[in-house]
Amino acid sequence: MADEAEDTAAGTQSIDTQPVPTVGIDRADAGPGQSLVAAGEVDLDAILQGLEAEDGELPEAAILAARGHSAAITPKLIEAIETATATLRRGEPFDGNLPFYAFYLLGEFRATEALPAIVEALSLPEVELEILLGDALTMAGSRVLAYLASDRQDVIDALIDNRLLYEYVRWEAAGSLKYLVRDGLITREAAVERLRFHLRTAIDNFDEPVIGFLVCELDILFPAEAKVEIDEAFDKGFVEQGLIDRDCLARTYAKGEEGVREYWKQHEYSAHLDILEEFRGWKGHDDGGEEEGFQENLVGIDDKFVDIDDFGLPEMETTLPPPIDQPIRAERHPGRNDPCSCGSGKKYKKCCGAPGKAK
């Protein structure tokens, strides 16, 4: 698979990687709201440092500067992912935000020359991949692959079939097909046929982890042609309970193909990537962000338990209110791996919690 991915580099358009003139920028001051570009010149290292910032804020200035100099910054972003991947593969510690933003930006830039580095990163084991990309894998993985491998469907197929890969990498690869259909790059029939082939192969080889994912992705595409394989997957117990159920498929069949196409329009299934649009309300950038930042400050608090007696405070008498008959429960929002509350039968992160879904 890696050899196939490396072949993509030869067929892509080269990027001008000539040194870019720098300006005198104090990188310590290159925070949100401050420009990293002056008089048409740019300091690529300052942009990278801005993307690496760990102050809990979305690095808007660095993202905008990277967009403005995408051709020059792309090789640096690829190098950042390659370096971090190699570090983790050696079993060495890694901590940084740059690969997360690089993954998104390379997708935004449709930098097909990044495909070998992305495939190599996606081949990391689960724990290392979580360190490298965090939620970027499930939030943008299928869209990044749809952009970078739109003409390398053999790479997508290899990712889906590779049983050594983290199961969510395989799902994101399968999920890229719906974006290619929605954006008119392949037909619905072609996508269904490919997913049906993968489902048939997975059933025959008892490849259980990917079977449920394939059924979920087929459901989005109105999978009438694959009904035999889907029914077999359910009958043999290969579809994880809570991932998707037969009632969900029945509703899809009842809609018909036109109904499914209307559903796509409502849910904006497009490979469109805009990291600022998706994260502008993240980590303190809106009124609700303070809570998010506060939660981040609690990381590790269980490891540093503090006894209130250590502060030497005087003892206080406390009068407790009388007990109530029924407990008060705060409304619980579904976790990304919980069943979606809309009743679709899918996991939340693949239904109403998916990026681009109409709220």
Side-chain angles (χ1 to χ4, degrees):
M1 179 183 66
D3 291 337
E4 291 177 350
E6 288 174 2
D7 291 339
T8 61
T12 56
Q13 189 173 11
S14 62
I15 289 182
D16 181 8
T17 57
Q18 294 299 317
V20 179
T22 60
V23 293
I25 298 177
D26 184 354
R27 294 177 186 171
D29 295 333
Q34 292 182 303
S35 177
L36 300 176
V37 182
E41 298 177 338
V42 61
D43 184 338
L44 297 180
D45 289 336
I47 296 175
L48 295 175
Q49 185 169 348
L51 294 173
E52 188 68 88
E54 298 183 1
D55 57 4
E57 298 290 335
L58 183 67
E60 293 192 36
I63 291 170
L64 291 171
R67 285 176 173 175
H69 300 272
S70 59
I73 199 73
T74 289
K76 296 278 190 180
L77 298 176
I78 295 173
E79 181 183 2
I81 288 180
E82 290 174 335
T83 300
T85 299
T87 298
L88 289 166
R89 199 172 291 285
R90 290 193 300 269
E92 298 173 4
F94 175 83
D95 183 23
N97 294 323
L98 182 54
F100 175 93
Y101 293 115
F103 186 72
Y104 259 96
L105 289 170
L106 290 168
E108 272 195 34
F109 301 162
R110 305 194 185 196
T112 55
E113 64 270 35
L115 184 59
I118 295 296
V119 169
E120 179 65 22
L122 294 179
S123 69
L124 285 169
E126 175 183 352
V127 173
E128 287 76 9
L129 188 55
E130 173 67 24
I131 293 171
L132 184 73
L133 296 180
D135 278 349
L137 171 62
T138 53
M139 295 177 72
S142 55
R143 291 178 290 161
V144 170
L145 288 171
Y147 273 151
L148 303 190
S150 60
D151 60 348
R152 286 301 309 272
Q153 296 184 16
D154 58 314
V155 173
I156 298 297
D157 290 335
L159 291 172
I160 295 172
D161 285 339
N162 192 335
R163 301 177 72 158
L164 298 178
L165 297 181
Y166 177 36
E167 61 188 44
Y168 279 99
V169 170
R170 303 176 72 189
W171 190 345
E172 294 304 311
S176 68
L177 296 181
K178 65 177 173 285
Y179 296 117
L180 297 176
V181 172
R182 177 65 177 83
D183 293 345
L185 297 176
I186 62 174
T187 66
R188 183 203 68 85
E189 291 78 10
V192 169
E193 186 56 34
R194 288 177 63 197
L195 291 173
R196 179 187 183 185
F197 172 80
H198 287 295
L199 180 57
R200 178 75 268 158
T201 302
I203 292 172
D204 291 344
N205 293 304
F206 299 93
D207 187 4
E208 293 188 42
V210 77
I211 291 174
F213 301 162
L214 291 168
V215 172
C216 286
E217 294 303 325
L218 279 163
D219 174 62
I220 294 169
L221 294 168
F222 183 62
E225 304 95 315
K227 189 175 186 304
V228 170
E229 287 78 12
I230 291 172
D231 287 345
E232 182 179 349
F234 277 104
D235 292 340
K236 291 184 175 179
F238 287 152
V239 181
E240 179 186 344
Q241 187 175 4
L243 187 64
I244 189 171
D245 56 39
R246 276 178 154 158
D247 289 341
C248 178
L249 270 299
R251 289 191 292 270
T252 299
Y253 295 136
K255 289 176 186 176
E257 184 175 345
E258 289 307 312
V260 172
R261 291 186 184 278
E262 184 61 32
Y263 176 86
W264 293 347
K265 293 177 184 177
Q266 294 173 2
H267 289 74
E268 299 179 358
Y269 273 123
S270 172
H272 172 70
L273 272 168
D274 185 334
I275 190 170
L276 290 181
E277 179 182 308
E278 294 183 24
F279 286 95
R280 191 162 267 129
W282 180 60
K283 291 187 180 179
H285 276 253
D286 63 2
D287 294 338
E290 183 176 351
E291 181 180 356
E292 182 76 16
F294 174 71
Q295 292 296 330
E296 285 208 338
N297 291 332
L298 297 182
V299 173
I301 196 167
D302 290 337
D303 299 327
K304 300 177 181 178
F305 178 76
V306 178
D307 190 332
I308 195 169
D309 292 336
D310 293 343
F311 289 92
L313 298 176
E315 294 185 3
M316 295 178 288
E317 294 184 1
T318 303
T319 302
L320 297 176
I324 57 178
D325 293 334
Q326 297 292 332
I328 298 174
R329 291 185 172 88
E331 179 183 359
R332 181 182 181 275
H333 295 284
R336 287 173 53 75
N337 287 310
D338 291 341
C340 191
S341 58
C342 74
S344 67
K346 301 179 183 179
K347 287 191 177 183
Y348 176 70
K349 70 180 176 184
K350 286 295 179 179
C351 191
C352 295
K357 286 296 189 83
K359 305 299 181 186

